[in-house]
């Protein structure tokens, strides 16, 4: 696999935010949790970009949003002490989901909060590769880039895998499954921690 040029990791600038959001929306188009939340394609395409911005958008302001060449993939890392915009997420879900679906999604987020490490850590709320460019090492490049900083700082990294197919990738990079998150009819989501090195 040739990753010499297309997998060069670059910081996403404010002018490139929409490109990064777009590739993550593409990447999550078949994600079990994302499509459980928005099973209707029109609703997904209408509302999921706002979810991406609320869940991981603070990475752009902190210079910790990254992409690989041509926006074939993107990762939004939140530094220690920085959290998703929970108020914005709640508003998006209240405004875009039927009341009967809201309990499940809020239950998932409550369980997610219980697994987050209490010590300072880097959090990866979102990483994705355009389906047309998957299996070329782009996801690994994005992970390696940020994890090198975690290792320099001797800081743990944490994520939730909403797609079981991605667990082996994260395990290859040192993450370990902590348990299972599931509320109502939601698919299982696996919280994963990579210990400080």
């Amino acid at each position: 696999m040739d990753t010499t040029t297309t997998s060069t990791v670059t910081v996403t600038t404010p002018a490139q935010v929409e490109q990064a959001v777009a590739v993550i929306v593409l990447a999550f188009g078949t994600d079990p949790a994302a499509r459980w939340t928005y099973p209707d394609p029109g609703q997904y395409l209408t509302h999921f970009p706002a979810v991406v911005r609320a869940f991981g958008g603070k990475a752009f302001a902190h210079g910790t949003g990254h992409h690989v060449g041509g926006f074939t993939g993107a990762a939004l890392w939140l530094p220690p002490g920085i959290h998703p915009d929970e108020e914005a997420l709640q508003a998006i879900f209240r405004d875009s989901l039927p009341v009967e679906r809201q309990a499940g999604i809020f239950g998932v987020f409550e369980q997610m909060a219980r697994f987050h490490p209490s010590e300072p850590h880097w959090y990866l709320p979102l990483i994705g590769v355009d389906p047309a460019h998957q299996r070329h090492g782009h996801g690994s490049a994005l992970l390696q880039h940020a994890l090198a900083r975690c290792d320099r700082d001797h800081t743990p990294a944490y994520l939730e895998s909403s797609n079981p197919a991605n667990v082996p990738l994260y395990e290859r990079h040192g993450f370990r499954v902590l348990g299972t998150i599931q509320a109502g009819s939601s698919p299982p989501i696996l919280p994963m921690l990579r210990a400080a090195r």
Side-chain angles (χ1 to χ4, degrees):
M1 107 183 85
D2 178 15
T3 60
T4 53
T5 56
T6 57
S7 287
T8 300
V9 178
T10 308
V11 172
T12 303
T13 68
Q16 298 171 319
V17 168
E18 292 308 313
Q19 290 172 280
V21 170
V23 75
I24 290 173
V25 170
L26 275 175
F28 277 76
T30 58
D31 179 82
R35 297 314 301 276
W36 168 77
T37 305
Y38 295 111
D40 176 83
Q43 292 292 306
Y44 173 75
L45 291 173
T46 298
H47 299 293
F48 198 69
V51 172
V52 170
R53 288 184 199 91
F55 197 31
K58 289 183 182 179
F60 301 123
H62 289 275
T64 54
H66 306 127
H67 65 275
V68 288
F71 284 89
T72 53
L76 306 182
W77 285 89
L78 299 183
I82 304 301
H83 307 283
D85 188 339
E86 293 179 18
E87 288 182 17
L89 280 169
Q90 289 176 5
I92 293 163
F93 294 136
R94 283 197 183 105
D95 293 344
S96 66
L97 294 175
V99 174
E100 62 272 11
R101 298 285 318 281
Q102 292 178 21
I105 193 73
F106 291 136
V108 165
F109 275 90
E110 286 172 18
Q111 289 184 37
M112 285 168 59
R114 291 186 205 134
F115 280 100
H116 272 258
S118 56
E119 64 188 307
H121 64 282
W122 282 85
Y123 176 42
L124 178 61
L126 294 161
I127 183 172
V129 174
D130 180 339
H133 298 281
Q134 290 177 356
R135 309 221 187 312
H136 295 288
H138 304 310
S140 286
L142 287 162
L143 286 168
Q144 288 168 357
H145 180 80
L147 293 174
R149 181 173 185 172
C150 293
D151 292 346
R152 281 194 308 271
D153 297 342
H154 307 291
T155 308
Y158 174 79
L159 61 82
E160 294 101 3
S161 180
S162 54
N163 189 339
N166 295 332
V167 169
L169 168 68
Y170 300 134
E171 288 178 333
R172 283 195 302 275
H173 290 278
F175 287 90
R176 297 293 171 253
V177 174
L178 300 177
T180 302
I181 295 165
Q182 194 165 22
S185 63
S186 78
I189 297 169
L190 303 175
M192 301 185 75
L193 179 69
R194 184 181 186 267
R197 296 182 176 186

